[in-house]
Amino acid sequence: MKFSEESPKNALFTPDFTQNPYPVYARLREEEPIAQLMFPDGQFGWMITRYEDAAEVLKDNRFIKDMTKVFGSGSQSIFTSNMLFSDPPDHRRLRGLVQQGFTPKLVESMREHIQQIADGLLDAVEGKDRMSLIDDYAFPLPIIVISEILGVPIEDQDKFRVWSNSIIGASNAEEGPDVYRHMQEFTEYLGHWFAKVRENPGDDLISQLISAEDAGEKLSEQEIYGVVALLIIAGHETTVNLIGNGMISLLQHPDQLERLRENPDLIKSAIEEMLRYNGPVEFSTSRWAGEDLEFRGHRMKRGDLVVVALDSANRDGDHFSDPDLFDITRERSRHLAFGHGIHMCLGAPLARLEGEIAINTLLRRFPNIRMREGADALEWRPGMIVRGVKEIPLSL
């Protein structure tokens, strides 16, 4: 990537940046680690790129998540009525209701079933000479899992992909002509689904949440929509891109790929390195200064937007040795791929387990796997929040 002598901020969100943001991040960390800029959606705010600053912002309660405190109640939608966009005490209440479906014991109990799902998806491409990693494997695996946890009919998974991509695109200021229609379809689907669950509840998480709502345990209709929207959209996007980005990193580093193939027990440290090296969530969701404040010598006004560049923080040489080196034997590092503080990703244990099973199974079943095209030909999804490619054509 070529730079002018101007600020590295000018290279943000360009096609070259989307393809490989890390040289830009390196310059920002060096020259302007807390940078004021205009984001793609037209908002003016602050970007945090160094690890120590990022970790501090993510746990500093002066930076709030509830946009209604900044923009008023009219700014809230079903896609923001959840723990990701709330502050204590609402955050504690909402997270407490949901985390019952993601306890470490419950997640570990899913191992055998997730293995069966992975094998079934790869059975479908057995005997072929090629596969589409995202379409055939990385997308369906986590959407099947989250659908079963929630109680969503699995035959509707393709609808969720369309809705998820559209809504994520809207958050990236990449709105397509169908985004509002997709939001409406998604909302209507949830309404019909909730009505069925109320008539015939099961033992799935949504039945439990609706039962809690009916029992008066401080769960509003808007909040239950928000929680489900978060789990369906964010709950599988992270894993899709963990698998996709992780496989790209392995295929670009054949020595590491061979090391993992020969020693599958390295998968846990390999997953952590995949999350650090080219993580699936590039930016934190929005925070705002809840008051006039000073942070690291910068004066911020109440209502100022603050965004953490997670993938930049995870390449900070002041925190990680050889940060641009992909090393699956790296000692476990406290990367920020799943966030930090009270908003740390609730589904992180599930995403890790799905990634471990998906990647090890793929390498075991297809030991000669390779990309059909060079990494430069991959099309990265534009915008903010998620970092992932649209597709990865593989030869088996």
Side-chain angles (χ1 to χ4, degrees):
M1 185 179 294
K2 296 180 180 179
F3 293 109
S4 69
E5 293 301 315
E6 299 176 347
S7 168
K9 291 188 295 187
N10 294 335
L12 288 168
F13 313 119
T14 63
D16 281 348
F17 173 84
T18 300
Q19 194 76 11
N20 179 16
Y22 298 104
V24 178
Y25 288 145
R27 279 193 61 189
L28 280 170
R29 290 194 303 271
E30 181 68 25
E31 300 174 22
E32 203 171 353
I34 300 175
Q36 279 190 295
L37 55 93
M38 184 74 74
F39 289 95
D41 62 0
Q43 293 189 78
F44 191 72
W46 302 84
M47 179 184 287
I48 314 296
T49 52
R50 285 182 180 166
Y51 182 96
E52 294 300 334
D53 298 338
E56 185 63 31
V57 166
L58 293 173
K59 67 180 183 181
D60 190 332
N61 60 16
R62 295 179 300 169
F63 298 105
I64 61 176
K65 297 283 291 175
D66 186 348
M67 65 178 62
T68 65
K69 296 176 182 176
V70 178
F71 303 109
S73 59
S75 62
Q76 195 171 48
S77 72
I78 70 161
F79 302 104
T80 59
S81 299
N82 54 59
M83 59 271 193
L84 187 60
F85 297 97
S86 62
D87 302 310
D90 283 339
H91 172 268
R92 190 178 304 109
R93 172 176 57 85
L94 291 168
R95 190 178 178 103
L97 286 166
V98 177
Q99 66 185 6
Q100 59 188 308
F102 298 92
T103 63
K105 182 178 180 180
L106 185 57
V107 167
E108 183 57 33
S109 73
M110 299 177 191
R111 180 179 292 274
E112 183 177 346
H113 185 51
I114 295 173
Q115 183 65 63
Q116 292 171 349
I117 294 170
D119 282 323
L121 292 169
L122 294 182
D123 286 345
V125 297
E126 187 79 49
K128 299 181 180 179
D129 64 354
R130 65 183 65 184
M131 72 180 289
S132 297
L133 181 66
I134 304 299
D135 280 349
D136 294 336
Y137 194 52
F139 172 79
L141 188 149
I143 198 64
I144 290 171
V145 174
I146 196 66
S147 295
E148 291 182 351
I149 290 172
L150 296 174
V152 181
I154 196 60
E155 61 267 21
D156 293 331
Q157 64 176 268
D158 288 337
K159 297 178 185 177
F160 293 140
R161 182 173 193 181
V162 171
W163 295 332
S164 175
N165 285 340
S166 186
I167 293 164
I168 289 287
S171 69
N172 288 340
E174 295 286 339
E175 294 187 11
D178 298 323
V179 63
Y180 294 111
R181 177 171 61 84
H182 289 154
M183 288 182 175
Q184 183 66 27
E185 289 174 355
F186 184 61
T187 305
E188 290 176 356
Y189 177 92
L190 294 183
H192 292 307
W193 175 28
F194 293 165
K196 291 180 180 178
V197 170
R198 285 191 174 93
E199 290 179 4
N200 187 25
D203 57 2
D204 54 84
L205 181 57
I206 298 310
S207 294
Q208 295 174 35
L209 292 174
I210 287 178
S211 296
E213 176 197 11
D214 290 342
E217 295 186 15
K218 303 179 181 177
L219 193 69
S220 70
E221 182 82 7
Q222 182 89 344
E223 287 169 343
I224 198 167
Y225 272 89
V227 165
V228 175
L230 174 64
L231 293 176
I232 290 175
I233 297 171
H236 82 272
E237 281 282 353
T238 300
T239 309
V240 172
N241 296 314
L242 165 57
I243 297 168
N245 296 3
M247 282 305 303
I248 292 170
S249 297
L250 286 172
L251 292 165
Q252 287 181 308
H253 299 84
D255 60 323
Q256 301 298 302
L257 176 63
E258 188 61 27
R259 180 178 286 185
L260 180 58
R261 183 184 288 122
E262 292 178 352
N263 187 0
D265 289 342
L266 288 173
I267 189 61
K268 288 188 180 296
S269 62
I271 290 294
E272 298 310 310
E273 181 68 344
M274 294 169 193
L275 288 163
R276 184 202 69 82
Y277 183 77
N278 197 11
V281 182
E282 189 164 1
F283 297 94
S284 69
T285 48
S286 300
R287 285 166 169 76
W288 292 269
E291 59 190 65
D292 292 344
L293 57 88
E294 183 174 305
F295 182 80
R296 301 288 200 261
H298 296 268
R299 293 191 177 278
M300 300 179 179
K301 294 183 178 180
R302 183 182 182 279
D304 277 4
L305 173 67
V306 181
V307 173
V308 172
L310 301 171
D311 279 351
S312 173
N314 288 336
R315 292 280 192 106
D316 189 340
D318 290 338
H319 190 81
F320 302 96
S321 61
D322 295 319
D324 296 322
L325 176 68
F326 181 67
D327 177 9
I328 66 168
T329 64
R330 185 185 294 270
E331 290 186 9
R332 187 177 177 111
S333 55
R334 299 189 65 181
H335 60 70
L336 301 177
F338 289 120
H340 186 57
I342 65 171
H343 288 283
M344 188 168 179
C345 178
L346 182 71
L350 179 59
R352 285 184 167 106
L353 179 61
E354 290 172 327
E356 291 172 16
I357 292 172
I359 290 173
N360 258 1
T361 305
L362 184 62
L363 297 183
R364 174 174 52 79
R365 296 278 300 267
F366 299 101
N368 299 316
I369 199 166
R370 61 181 176 82
M371 280 193 282
R372 296 183 62 83
E373 302 173 323
D376 290 345
L378 296 174
E379 185 179 357
W380 291 85
R381 296 167 66 179
M384 298 181 65
I385 303 182
V386 301
R387 175 161 178 77
V389 293
K390 293 185 177 179
E391 192 48 80
I392 307 172
L394 295 178
S395 290
L396 301 181

